Amino acid sequence: MKKNKRIQFIDYIKKLPTSTIFKYLGKDMNNERKIISTDLLKKINEKFISEKSVKQRFDHLSFEQKKLCAFTYLFGIKGLKVNEFETRNKDLLVTFLLYSTSNKEGIKFYFGFDKMEEVIYNDIALFLHNITKTGLIGVNVPSFLKTRCLNDFIIILICTLSGLLKKRNDGKLTHGSLIHLSELLHSTTESASLRNKTQDNKNVIQLLIDFGITRNIINENDKFFITTHSQINHWLSIPFRERYEDFVSFTCRYNIGWSMKIIKRMVEIDRDAWFSTSLFPQSDSNELSATLQLIHYIGFIDLFQNDTDLYFRHCSSLIETITESSMQNIKILPDFSVILPLEVLPESIFSFSHLGTISNLDIVYKGSINREAVNESLTNG
């Protein structure tokens, strides 16, 4: 999970050499003695994070510098790997719109400042909109359930409760557990036409488990991920909208890491336009694909893959959830096989798990009533 936190501008300038501060930041300040005081730093901070100053500095950048700055802010707390940009844009750092730092492996990244993003995100979104917008029309993408993450999570919990989430020695899920879950979860590979189905499924499964562990709904021992009925019932007692917003917030903060404010504004400017990733920095194409996949998974964008490029737009292909929790939505056939609609609530899926098992998810959930599930439910009260 990504837990990076960008530093504040005031804390950044406190670490700068005195000569740098007076050369670039404090040259207009009335300070003949060249002394760095708390008051001086406060004045510099207020000036450089002001809307007028930030917008003016961004407007004065060259096209290449704007592109680098815009992607840095879009990539949020993940940051942008410096790589090929370093030698061409060293002078961008002295605009103080962003800063560079290295991780534990010595890889250098660019980051933006939170306070500056608050006043410039619309300008950045418009710039990215203009340079990545395509002329694609007539592209049909499959509809998908807006709140599919909650249905997937209850499936994860049911499988965890049944002892089906087995761990390898390295702590990751066994291949058999991954295959089993892949048959039951909503596939972004299908809704986004992604090529790497195995990796895409792993990304979603890992997200769901991370969420459960962080929210103390899933625990683990040496061999299994585990949970209890009381933990599941407590989660289900939270209002549906709150559960969805909590999952989205978790995903954005810990797994996506991008500025959702920028990406949302970017696609809202023209809701029918498709945007290409061909101009995105390609230092890590797998991470780019994984990030867009998760933004698509939580219902913010439509996504599809064509050759090596990914295309996205404002999400217009959503299926809404059935609002009432009821077993009436479940169809039982004469042979005791069962069909649950795609848009059924997590509560209904969990209620059905007391009577039977779900075997796969296609256009609908398919399962069957079986004696083992009924006996286990009776045993558990």
Side-chain angles (χ1 to χ4, degrees):
M1 295 185 295
K2 306 293 186 299
K3 298 182 181 178
N4 304 340
K5 185 177 180 180
R6 297 184 293 191
I7 64 175
Q8 299 301 309
F9 185 68
I10 184 66
D11 296 322
Y12 174 67
I13 60 177
K14 285 178 181 177
K15 299 178 181 179
L16 295 175
T18 301
S19 58
T20 301
I21 291 177
F22 282 108
K23 182 177 181 179
Y24 296 108
L25 298 170
K27 56 186 177 181
D28 297 328
M29 303 291 179
N30 184 16
N31 192 318
E32 295 180 359
R33 297 175 61 189
K34 304 297 184 183
I35 297 175
I36 303 298
S37 64
T38 300
D39 185 59
L40 177 63
L41 290 175
K42 183 178 178 181
K43 289 179 180 178
I44 292 173
N45 179 63
E46 290 174 350
K47 175 184 176 181
F48 274 79
I49 67 173
S50 68
E51 181 174 356
K52 179 181 178 181
S53 176
V54 174
K55 287 179 177 286
Q56 188 177 63
R57 292 182 346 252
F58 183 73
D59 288 341
H60 287 168
L61 298 178
S62 68
F63 175 80
E64 286 298 321
Q65 289 176 331
K66 278 187 178 180
K67 188 167 71 170
L68 171 57
C69 186
F71 280 120
T72 297
Y73 274 91
L74 174 64
F75 290 173
I77 61 173
K78 280 188 173 179
L80 175 63
K81 287 183 182 178
V82 173
N83 293 345
E84 73 273 14
F85 296 109
E86 184 171 22
T87 56
R88 287 188 294 158
N89 294 290
K90 284 184 177 180
D91 55 338
L92 180 57
L93 291 176
V94 299
T95 67
F96 297 95
L97 288 167
L98 46 81
Y99 65 96
S100 66
T101 188
S102 300
N103 63 12
K104 294 180 180 179
E105 289 74 36
I107 302 173
K108 189 175 288 187
F109 288 83
Y110 286 137
F111 292 95
F113 297 100
D114 290 339
K115 293 293 185 180
M116 296 186 191
E117 181 181 329
E118 290 176 9
V119 299
I120 202 176
Y121 80 92
N122 195 63
D123 303 71
I124 290 174
L126 181 60
F127 176 79
L128 291 173
H129 171 279
N130 291 339
I131 69 171
T132 61
K133 181 180 176 180
T134 72
L136 284 175
I137 57 174
V139 178
N140 295 317
V141 291
S143 297
F144 61 92
L145 182 66
K146 180 179 180 180
T147 54
R148 57 184 169 180
C149 55
L150 300 189
N151 283 14
D152 283 350
F153 186 58
I154 197 65
I155 291 290
I156 288 280
L157 293 179
I158 292 169
C159 291
T160 304
L161 195 62
S162 302
L164 298 176
L165 267 61
K166 300 178 182 178
K167 296 168 59 178
R168 304 184 316 199
N169 291 334
D170 61 2
K172 296 181 180 180
L173 280 177
T174 63
H175 180 70
S177 294
L178 287 171
I179 294 299
H180 180 74
L181 289 174
S182 296
E183 296 294 321
L184 302 174
L185 303 181
H186 290 258
S187 172
T188 55
T189 305
E190 301 294 335
S191 61
S193 303
L194 300 175
R195 305 291 170 77
N196 193 344
K197 182 172 183 178
T198 301
Q199 186 58 50
D200 296 333
N201 287 338
K202 285 182 179 179
N203 293 340
V204 169
I205 291 168
Q206 189 61 55
L207 166 64
L208 294 163
I209 292 175
D210 285 346
F211 174 74
I213 291 174
T214 304
R215 295 297 185 261
N216 198 31
I217 309 167
I218 294 176
N219 306 110
E220 55 185 315
N221 56 33
D222 292 340
K223 295 184 178 181
F224 294 92
F225 291 101
I226 56 177
T227 189
T228 64
H229 282 87
S230 61
Q231 286 172 297
I232 297 174
N233 286 324
H234 174 73
W235 180 71
L236 289 174
S237 70
I238 300 170
F240 182 79
R241 179 53 52 183
E242 286 185 29
R243 276 181 275 154
Y244 175 66
E245 291 175 352
D246 182 44
F247 189 92
V248 168
S249 175
F250 172 87
T251 305
C252 293
R253 178 69 181 87
Y254 291 98
N255 293 75
I256 293 175
W258 284 16
S259 168
M260 297 310 296
K261 185 182 294 186
I262 292 176
I263 194 77
K264 287 171 70 176
R265 179 63 186 136
M266 180 181 170
V267 298
E268 285 173 353
I269 294 172
D270 185 348
R271 296 192 171 204
D272 295 323
W274 284 98
F275 303 93
S276 171
T277 60
S278 61
L279 287 180
F280 278 51
Q282 298 294 322
S283 56
D284 193 340
S285 57
N286 289 332
E287 177 144 350
L288 174 64
S289 175
T291 301
L292 287 171
Q293 175 207 8
L294 293 181
I295 298 174
H296 167 66
Y297 179 66
I298 59 176
F300 281 30
I301 59 172
D302 286 332
L303 180 68
F304 83 95
Q305 186 171 15
N306 184 19
D307 296 327
T308 58
D309 287 341
L310 288 165
Y311 296 85
F312 62 94
R313 72 174 180 189
H314 183 272
C315 193
S316 58
S317 308
L318 296 174
I319 300 171
E320 294 296 333
T321 305
I322 296 174
T323 54
E324 73 278 0
S325 175
S326 173
M327 294 297 284
Q328 293 177 1
N329 299 316
I330 300 174
K331 185 176 182 180
I332 302 175
L333 303 180
D335 61 355
F336 293 101
S337 60
V338 177
I339 295 176
L340 289 78
L342 181 76
E343 61 274 23
V344 71
L345 277 174
E347 287 87 336
S348 297
I349 297 175
F350 188 55
S351 295
F352 170 72
S353 72
H354 299 142
L355 301 175
T357 56
I358 295 175
S359 56
N360 72 291
L361 169 62
D362 190 0
I363 300 175
V364 294
Y365 291 100
K366 296 179 181 179
S368 59
I369 294 176
N370 59 67
R371 182 180 298 173
E372 291 80 6
V374 174
N375 287 340
E376 185 176 346
S377 296
L378 293 173
T379 300
N380 293 319

